[in-house]
Amino acid sequence: MQLNDIEAFAADQDRGAWLELHHPVDGKPTGLKVLVAGPDSNTQARARLALVDDLTSATDLTGHVSAENRELCRLHNLARCVLGWDVMADGQQVPFNFAAVVRLLKAGTWVQAQIDAFADDRRRFMPGAR
């Protein structure tokens, strides 16, 4: 491996990889699909920087960030790693935007867990893994 290989791998991760969410109990595919940026992508790097800014903004005068604000910052960080999706609600395609991704993440901690684990798994973003 050479430096240019590493750089190309990181750039490729910005294109993302598809994750189909699976039911939290029976493990069956839900049909809900999200396009997630890889852990070495510029997208995730920017999300980490935004997380620091969000936490700074949420800090009170004593230097404390409430648990509620900390959790919201964490969800926003994860939402920034989602690049696109194929999500339906009431038989209609849900428009992709940041607020809608946050809504999906708030719908279930199992959704958060699957997206978070996927976003951190470099193997999912290796050429040929898709």
Side-chain angles (χ1 to χ4, degrees), residues 26-37:
D26 64 21
K28 293 181 181 173
T30 63
L32 301 170
K33 298 175 184 170
V34 291
L35 182 63
V36 181

Side-chain angles (χ1 to χ4, degrees), residues 4 51-52 58 60-61 64 73 76 82 86 95 98 100 102 112 122:
N4 56 315
L51 173 61
V52 173
D60 67 19
L61 295 175
H64 179 260
C73 290
H76 285 184
V82 178
D86 182 7
F98 182 76
V102 172
Q112 298 168 30
R122 283 178 180 82

Side-chain angles (χ1 to χ4, degrees), residues 27-124:
K28 293 181 181 173
T30 63
L32 301 170
K33 298 175 184 170
V34 291
L35 182 63
V36 181
D40 301 311
S41 66
N42 286 328
T43 300
Q44 281 209 34
R46 286 189 305 273
R48 286 188 298 274
L49 292 173
L51 173 61
V52 173
D53 288 342
D54 289 350
L55 287 168
T56 300
S57 296
T59 303
D60 67 19
L61 295 175
T62 66
H64 179 260
V65 179
S66 70
E68 183 178 341
N69 284 338
R70 189 176 303 276
E71 176 64 5
L72 186 59
C73 290
R74 185 188 69 80
L75 289 178
H76 285 184
N77 177 61
L78 187 55
R80 288 182 184 104
C81 298
V82 178
L83 303 171
W85 71 7
D86 182 7
V87 172
M88 304 286 284
D90 298 322
Q92 303 276 333
Q93 181 73 31
V94 178
F96 175 77
N97 59 55
F98 182 76
V101 175
V102 172
R103 176 183 168 201
L104 174 65
L105 293 171
K106 286 182 174 181
T109 55
W110 62 271
V111 173
Q112 298 168 30
Q114 288 183 36
I115 294 173
D116 194 28
F118 188 88
D120 194 42
D121 187 354
R122 283 178 180 82
R123 295 171 298 171
R124 305 290 186 149

